[in-house]
Amino acid sequence: MFRANWTAIVTALCIGFSAHFNPAAAQDRRVPSSPAELRLSYAPIVQRVQPAVVNVYAAKVVQNRNPLLDDPIFRRFFGGGQQQEQVQRSLGSGVIVDSSGLVVTNVHVIEGADQVKVSLSDKREFEAEIVLKDSRSDLAVLRLKDTKEKFPALEFTNSDELMVGDVVMAIGNPFGVGQTVTHGIISALARTQVGITDYQFFIQTDAAINPGNSGGALVDMNGRLAGINTAIYSRSGGSQGIGFAIPANMVRVVVASAKGGGKAVKRPWLGAKLQAVTPEIAESLGLRSPSGALVASVVPNGPAAKAGLKSSDLITGIDGQTVDDPNAFDYRFATRPLGGTAQIDVQRGGKPTKLAVALETAPDTGRNELVVTARSPFQGAKVSSITPAVADELHLDADTEGVVITELGDDSPAAQVGFQKGDIIVTVNNQKIGKTGDLEKAAGVSQRLWRITLVRGGQQINVTLGG
């Protein structure tokens, strides 16, 4: 009797959720037609998916530094004292995306961690190594250590085929209470004004997402990975029905780079700077609505220039998909596979045209990254010469000159004096800084005063620091 009833339920599930197996076929979607359909269960999908969702524990050792120890008089009378160590822990979720033990989570879950552990749904724990971190998308890939078994993994769905109203489930470890499943619908697609990562293109859902869910799975009714839960909008710190997930198509790109052995994600480079279309610009161009991405400038000899893209062109689509703003274009372009071309729809002088842009990476020769070790205000800063690839990563103009800070240790002298990631060092003591070797040389000269010119957020700042 039980077997017969279970067969009937599974059959009803297949019928009731058939609309979600093919998201492109909107006409097949329907609401439940009887009380019996309302009693259907998500349990078969959860049982299949849950083993591939994991808990991620990250630990970081920090020094409890007493600021009084900076005073030589205090040290003389009270001694140097011991710097006490404290372990900071963070908790999040992750998803196994390859049976060899590759796990995707958020960068902010494991940022700065000295040790990362992954706990499976069956309570087993594994140490994990960080294979790749991509701060631009807030995605990180981990690999489980010292294991040769095959793990359950989730397949990717095509997130471009999702539609508002599709039923989804969020699985993760909210507040550290243990693995939890919530369900809801896709509330919106292509959210581009969230301000979380470089690639502003998120799936919005009302499935309950809370602290600890970061890095967990958003799955569709096929049991496939639709996105990685990343952030919530909240006034209280808890779920208020607005959660954001990174689409699966972006996750797929990051995982592919990790499988290929890369330490950084390689993406196509357009070689052009885009800007949003304001109502005033739309009116001047004779547009009915302010949509699309306006080309502000084009890098000479870049892919866009070679394809014939020009300043003042309006990009309205890519490979048949509409582009509403520059963030939407950045996401669409970044998720295209390298090699081949992308078809760009352009409005030029009110007339439509199509351009084929080559999908190739930005030139990155001459980066010459180094960590400044000389005793100076720059000590502990990782710096890079500005190549086209660096300019693309940091959203700088292609003709930007100087040396940019790409990384700072939390307790480094450079961080303590106030330098920030993304600062462009232009001059040091009136000496022009054009490449990292120039800064290394300038930092190696002992100075009583350091006069530094830098650019932060497009604004030039003059700083004077004591030696």
Side-chain angles (χ1 to χ4, degrees):
M1 183 69 175
F2 172 82
R3 182 175 299 172
N5 288 341
W6 179 248
T7 303
I9 290 173
V10 172
T11 302
L13 272 171
C14 293
I15 296 172
F17 294 138
S18 62
H20 304 290
F21 291 159
N22 184 7
Q27 65 273 17
D28 293 337
R29 290 170 165 78
R30 63 183 179 85
V31 297
S33 60
S34 67
E37 289 189 0
L38 291 176
R39 291 194 294 270
L40 298 177
S41 173
Y42 297 111
I45 301 172
V46 174
Q47 290 172 359
R48 188 168 72 250
V49 168
Q50 211 165 18
V53 182
V54 301
N55 301 333
V56 178
Y57 303 92
K60 178 184 179 182
V61 178
V62 296
Q63 300 286 341
N64 277 339
R65 179 177 169 273
N66 189 339
L68 293 176
L69 295 177
D70 293 337
D71 188 339
I73 297 177
F74 183 93
R75 291 199 305 270
R76 178 180 176 184
F77 286 97
F78 297 98
Q82 294 292 324
Q83 299 279 9
Q84 295 183 348
E85 290 186 346
Q86 180 181 2
V87 178
Q88 293 181 346
R89 303 183 187 277
S90 63
L91 173 66
S93 306
V95 183
I96 301 176
V97 291
D98 188 89
S99 60
S100 64
L102 278 184
V103 176
V104 172
T105 187
N106 287 132
V107 168
H108 72 259
V109 171
I110 52 91
E111 188 67 77
D114 299 311
Q115 184 184 47
V116 178
K117 288 188 176 181
V118 170
S119 174
L120 306 187
S121 61
D122 61 9
K123 309 302 181 184
R124 288 186 297 159
E125 283 193 356
F126 295 88
E127 288 193 4
E129 62 176 332
I130 300 173
V131 178
L132 184 150
K133 291 195 303 182
D134 183 48
S135 298
R136 301 186 72 184
S137 63
D138 193 22
L139 291 171
V141 181
L142 315 175
R143 186 184 299 278
L144 303 185
K145 290 183 178 179
D146 304 324
T147 179
K148 294 183 179 179
E149 68 178 280
K150 297 294 184 182
F151 296 93
L154 292 190
E155 296 180 1
F156 295 105
T157 193
N158 181 357
S159 53
D160 286 342
E161 294 182 351
L162 297 173
M163 297 183 69
V164 174
D166 281 349
V167 177
V168 288
M169 292 185 294
I171 308 178
N173 185 11
F175 298 112
V177 299
Q179 196 171 94
T180 302
V181 182
T182 57
H183 93 284
I185 63 169
I186 292 177
S187 306
L189 294 166
R191 286 298 195 208
T192 60
Q193 305 299 322
V194 181
I196 304 171
T197 67
D198 281 2
Y199 294 106
Q200 300 292 311
F201 199 89
F202 293 92
I203 300 168
Q204 181 182 325
T205 178
D206 68 345
I209 296 174
N210 288 288
N213 271 109
S214 289
L218 187 73
V219 298
D220 65 10
M221 291 298 100
N222 264 331
R224 292 177 179 158
L225 186 65
I228 295 293
N229 298 320
T230 297
I232 59 174
Y233 174 83
S234 176
R235 298 182 185 275
S236 64
S239 174
Q240 293 187 329
I242 300 178
F244 300 101
I246 300 168
N249 287 1
M250 176 60 78
V251 183
R252 193 197 311 266
V253 170
V254 175
V255 171
S257 292
K259 286 182 177 180
K263 294 297 182 183
V265 179
K266 293 185 177 181
R267 297 183 173 94
W269 173 55
L270 178 63
K273 186 176 181 179
L274 307 178
Q275 70 179 71
V277 179
T278 64
E280 293 76 17
I281 292 175
E283 184 178 357
S284 68
L285 295 176
L287 302 176
R288 295 179 60 186
S289 61
S291 63
L294 190 66
V295 179
S297 61
V298 178
V299 178
N301 299 317
K306 292 177 180 177
L309 198 67
K310 299 178 180 179
S311 297
S312 300
D313 281 350
L314 180 67
I315 298 175
T316 59
I318 174 172
D319 289 338
Q321 294 173 312
T322 301
V323 168
D324 291 327
D325 56 35
N327 288 325
F329 178 84
D330 287 346
Y331 168 81
R332 297 291 187 195
F333 196 71
T335 53
R336 292 296 182 270
L338 290 168
T341 59
Q343 297 296 317
I344 308 295
D345 295 320
V346 172
Q347 289 279 348
R348 178 181 296 167
K351 296 181 180 180
T353 185
K354 291 184 179 291
L355 301 175
V357 178
L359 297 169
E360 57 188 47
T361 58
D364 202 22
T365 55
R367 184 187 287 246
N368 298 325
E369 282 186 323
L370 58 86
V371 177
V372 179
T373 58
R375 185 178 179 82
S376 69
F378 306 101
Q379 187 177 4
K382 187 176 184 179
V383 296
S384 170
S385 299
I386 301 177
T387 65
V390 172
D392 185 51
E393 290 170 14
L394 300 178
H395 303 288
L396 306 174
D397 290 336
D399 57 354
T400 302
E401 295 182 352
V403 167
V404 65
I405 295 176
T406 58
E407 196 172 317
L408 284 166
D410 292 338
D411 300 320
S412 66
Q416 291 173 11
V417 301
F419 285 117
Q420 298 177 11
K421 179 180 177 180
D423 283 350
I424 300 168
I425 310 302
V426 180
T427 66
V428 175
N429 293 327
N430 298 320
Q431 295 183 5
K432 185 178 179 180
I433 305 299
K435 54 184 183 296
T436 55
D438 297 337
L439 182 60
E440 186 178 36
K441 183 178 178 181
V445 179
S446 179
Q447 303 283 349
R448 294 184 61 185
L449 285 177
W450 295 84
R451 295 180 176 85
I452 302 163
T453 302
L454 61 90
V455 174
R456 176 182 296 170
Q459 299 296 317
Q460 182 171 301
I461 303 172
N462 296 314
V463 180
T464 301
L465 300 172

